[in-house]
Amino acid sequence: MDRIPAQLDQESLDALRRAVGSRWVLTDPDQLRTYECDGLTGWRAVPLAVVLPSSTEEVVQVVRICHRAQIPFVARGSGTGLSGGALPVEDGIVIGLSRMRQVLRIDLDNERVVVQPGVPNLEVSRVVAPFGYLYAPDPSSQRVCSIGGNVAENSGGAHCLKYGFTSNHVVALTLVTTEGEVAHLGSAVPDSLGYDLLGVVVGSEGTLGIVTEVTLRVLPVPQRVQTLLAAFPSTDAAGEAVAEIIAAGVLPAAIEMMDRATIEAVEFAMHAGYPDCGAALLVELDGPQSECEALFGQVVEICRRCGASEVRVAEDEAERALLWKGRRGAFSAMGRVSPDYYVQDGVVPRSQLARVLAGIRELEGRHSLKVANVFHAGDGNLHPLILYDRRSPDGPERAKRLAEDILSLCLEAGGSLTGEHGVGRDKVCQMPKLFSPNDQMVMHLLRRAFDPGGTANPGKVLPTPRLCGEHPGIYRPHPLELSGAAQRL
Amino acid sequence: MTSLEADLEALLGRESVTPAAEGTGGTPPTPTARPRSAEALAEVLALANSRRLAVLVRGGGTKSGWGRAPGRCDLVIETTALNRLLEHEPGDLTCVAEAGLTLGELQRLVGGAPGHHQRLMLDPPQGGGATLGGVVATAASGPLRARYGTPRDLLLGARFALADGTLARTGGKVVKNVAGYDLGKLLTGSQGTLAVIVEVALRLHPVPPASRWVVAEGVGPPTAQVTLTALRRAPAVLSMAELLWPEGTLLARLDGAPSACEQQAEIVRALVPGGRVAGESEAEELARMIERRPWEGEGPVLGISVPLTRIGELMALAAVGGPVAQLSLRGTVGAGEARLWAGADPAQFAAQVADLGGYVSWHRGGGQDAPPLQPLDPVAARLAGSVKQALDPHSTLAPGRGPA
């Protein structure tokens, strides 16, 4: 579908200003540049305008204006996403939700908190912490990233091994549809009426509408948390320990792995005091004291049996923070040892970890680039950091190819394109590697049911010939499409 | 033999088609097709779709009465011949199975892998004979949801056939995956109205080495309310917490390492007035008490959800001699996921539950003409209609049925 406006027509611009107030409609090129990318800075586009509504009603008005004039829009939270999901479109506007950052209701006896989408993830835990509760999903950008963004990407985090993802913790939400209507999906009580539309909106990367209010499930803080760091001679040995822990029926809150390259970078950058070893595992158990203690001994024993030369147990909260410090700071530490890096986000079945890590080592050699691995080992979610130098003539290109090869390796092992960062713009053209034309067509049908005009975050999630070229395998018209019953966005 | 039956036989072979005359499939009798592969199932669907027939999908037939009754049915497609476990990698705690495999058979297959006693942590009513596809399509769960969630939390991916015969996949077989729309959640609970599920990938859990039950009798509404709230914050992980009402029996189960079970059972016992830790010899009988549902048989049944803090009030509504007589509740009240099912005359009940901040729906017995007990959000209803229209434009799949 061709879109008309190369610039915003005056009528729409005036209407937007009336809807949210002139000072909340940004059109100055310098201001617009602030919004040209999200956390994935390789993709950039300057939008026609940025609109900053402060309420569901204002979002409704803004979306209605877009609907009327067929202006594409991209919803944006804090802009920390790593797949270009909030990358603007040049012929559209950005709807920034950062002014909508109120915690609306707290009902701890029912374990519910209602927030606006701009509320930072960590803020939810912060407001309920004094009462002994927490919000479980903890993406590493949690200080900054917004709940709205978490809903869009179905964000995970280190502790989702035990607690699940955003979709397991969002029980209801308010969705402004692409036509500017307000839908209430889900329910604060268990289960709800009708189809589970909530379930598809979470993780839909802003393509099905704009979420303006979210009801979250919060949990009582576990009685006990126990954390250890185990040093292994190799990632193989550490991987074996992971497999044994899982097979033993232990479900830790988190199992994180760091390879030698990561440990060295972390030591260089922040002196976390990590042991000098081939791979380190950070294992955290939480729950009732009785359960933690019963299982913790088992985990220590498994680590030793799998060749751990050292097992450090955090004795208090300060020591626990120290053990986590290196893991949490691993990405930024990489910035100190390499001019540039690209974070890949792939998933493999847990039983394939060792095989895929070996494959990544082989790819490092073939592409003559270094890869540091730091990842959520418990659920097989790899985050290989591909280190490169953008000033070297083919640096970025080689890094990109290596990243794609790693992804292919994950898929060959039966895994997925993305475990928590989303498809966004970054992986849209790789969707056909995982999903057949039919699979994609069904997703298109769903998208069109929510967004008949194709204005919500176009160019994200689902590949089109325009985005990805016309090579075969990407696009094949579906019978419904040929019959005119459906249309591709 | 009708021409439809002849065409089905040509597609599937005689042994896979039961003619209407031998009628097991619905009223009036309709032919039943039992395809042996996903591809064959898709062909049957495409055939029905092109002739504008109404198709009802059936697994084990254990939940055929759930949801709104379908308006018409020309053909039943049974998934029971799609009954293979396709993958089970114990180290991954995942499996992939065809939709017609029964839950009982799956539990037997994944429970017995050498050195790995695993389980799909779903225990819906009449679970053993229910098929995986049916359990997912009805979002059926039982007491274990208190700890492990419902099918939407355990489904990793699915393969399905649209009404026009398009076979497609969603999700994957890994436990963490955000690639593309999560259509698995949309299909979960859609009661066979959007697509026919032919294959599911599921998350498994290890079977805990030990269990302990805590039982209390004579639990009334105020005690139940206070106790449940206290249990939520107690340092104990309940695998289930069930309330039998009006009997006044509270049953809680703790699973895990033996020492942890002992200690947590003691914590729970101390919080439950009149509570006692049951002996191991009682475990089977207690499990049977939960299984027993007074409304099995005929008559309407309601699905009710209320906030955790309103369970006492719901019990009071449902008390013998209370405002609504002859109501019997069974519910998963652990984990704050209060879901109580009631066998009752629905009409007077819905508004009272709405006042508690909860909702009531037809769990069973909502005939075609039964009015919805509570209105769906109108915009959500419109979106749901658009989704149905997009995936099944001729309303081939169970027209009139659906979760409500």
Side-chain angles (χ1 to χ4, degrees), chain A residues 100-250:
Chain A
M100 295 182 65
R101 53 191 308 152
Q102 274 180 288
V103 176
L104 299 172
R105 276 189 297 287
I106 300 176
D107 176 6
L108 292 177
D109 285 340
N110 286 309
E111 302 173 357
R112 300 289 183 261
V113 173
V114 184
V115 300
Q116 290 187 317
V119 169
N121 172 294
L122 196 59
E123 176 77 2
V124 181
S125 282
R126 204 188 58 74
V127 298
V128 296
F131 311 99
Y133 287 82
L134 59 79
Y135 176 61
D138 61 340
S140 49
S141 54
Q142 69 180 144
R143 281 172 200 288
V144 185
C145 66
S146 69
I147 291 296
N150 292 178
V151 168
E153 303 298 321
N154 189 14
S155 303
H159 290 83
C160 62
L161 173 60
K162 177 170 180 179
Y163 291 101
F165 319 100
T166 300
S167 66
N168 303 105
H169 298 272
V170 172
V171 299
L173 51 79
T174 301
L175 178 81
V176 175
T177 70
T178 58
E179 293 170 11
E181 295 177 295
V182 178
H184 300 282
L185 307 181
S187 158
V189 299
D191 307 318
S192 60
L193 300 170
Y195 294 141
D196 189 357
L197 300 179
L198 170 75
V200 279
V201 167
V202 177
S204 63
E205 307 196 22
T207 62
L208 304 183
I210 297 184
V211 170
T212 59
E213 206 173 294
V214 190
T215 305
L216 303 169
R217 189 161 70 106
V218 291
L219 303 171
V221 172
Q223 183 185 23
R224 185 93 164 90
V225 181
Q226 282 185 292
T227 312
L228 69 78
L229 184 80
F232 291 87
S234 64
T235 51
D236 281 0
E240 199 182 316
V242 173
E244 287 217 17
I245 291 168
I246 300 286
V250 181

Side-chain angles (χ1 to χ4, degrees), chain A residues 107-112 131-133 153-158 160-162 164-165 167-168 170 175 177 179 181-185 187 189-200 202-205 207-208 217-220 223 243 246-251 287-291 293-295 345 347-352 376 378-381 383 413-423 431 434-436 438-439 442-447 449-450 460-462 478-480 485-486, chain B residues 89-94 115-116 118 139 141 145 147 150 152-154 160 162 164-191 193-194 203-206 229 232-237 255-261 263-264 267 304-310 332 335-339 341 356-362 374-394 401-404:
Chain A
D107 176 6
L108 292 177
D109 285 340
N110 286 309
E111 302 173 357
R112 300 289 183 261
F131 311 99
Y133 287 82
E153 303 298 321
N154 189 14
S155 303
C160 62
L161 173 60
K162 177 170 180 179
F165 319 100
S167 66
N168 303 105
V170 172
L175 178 81
T177 70
E179 293 170 11
E181 295 177 295
V182 178
H184 300 282
L185 307 181
S187 158
V189 299
D191 307 318
S192 60
L193 300 170
Y195 294 141
D196 189 357
L197 300 179
L198 170 75
V200 279
V202 177
S204 63
E205 307 196 22
T207 62
L208 304 183
R217 189 161 70 106
V218 291
L219 303 171
Q223 183 185 23
I246 300 286
V250 181
L251 183 59
Q289 180 145 0
S290 54
E291 186 179 275
E293 278 165 6
L295 300 179
D345 169 41
V347 188
V348 297
R350 290 173 279 206
S351 58
Q352 303 289 317
H376 311 304
D379 41 29
N381 186 192
H383 286 318
S416 172
L417 279 178
T418 166
E420 56 185 6
H421 295 172
V423 173
M431 283 287 276
L434 184 59
F435 293 111
S436 74
N438 277 350
D439 304 345
V442 179
M443 291 186 210
H444 272 287
L445 290 174
L446 178 87
R447 184 174 190 162
F450 276 82
K460 313 294 168 57
V461 184
L462 297 176
H478 182 273
L480 284 177
Chain B
E89 179 55 61
D92 291 332
L93 285 163
T94 57
H116 297 277
Q118 303 186 348
S141 64
R145 71 176 289 176
R147 179 165 183 173
T150 60
R152 89 195 284 277
D153 301 303
L154 300 171
F160 54 91
L162 292 187
D164 69 354
T166 301
L167 278 166
R169 287 179 191 278
T170 177
K173 60 174 187 176
V174 283
V175 294
K176 194 172 182 185
N177 185 4
V178 295
Y181 298 131
D182 193 349
L183 298 168
K185 289 203 170 54
L186 184 65
L187 296 180
T188 303
S190 64
Q191 299 185 341
T193 59
L194 296 178
R203 181 175 190 161
L204 304 173
H205 285 83
T229 308
R232 279 304 298 152
R233 305 199 57 166
V237 181
D255 299 324
S259 62
C261 268
Q263 291 177 44
Q264 291 181 46
I267 290 168
I304 303 168
S305 286
V306 294
L308 181 63
T309 49
R310 311 303 287 272
T332 300
E337 310 286 7
R339 176 158 170 83
W341 293 345
L356 299 180
Y359 77 79
V360 180
S361 63
W362 290 105
Q374 265 167 352
L376 197 60
D377 176 85
V379 179
R382 188 185 62 69
L383 288 174
S386 303
V387 170
K388 169 76 176 171
Q389 173 68 26
L391 300 186
D392 180 18
H394 304 302
R401 202 181 182 194

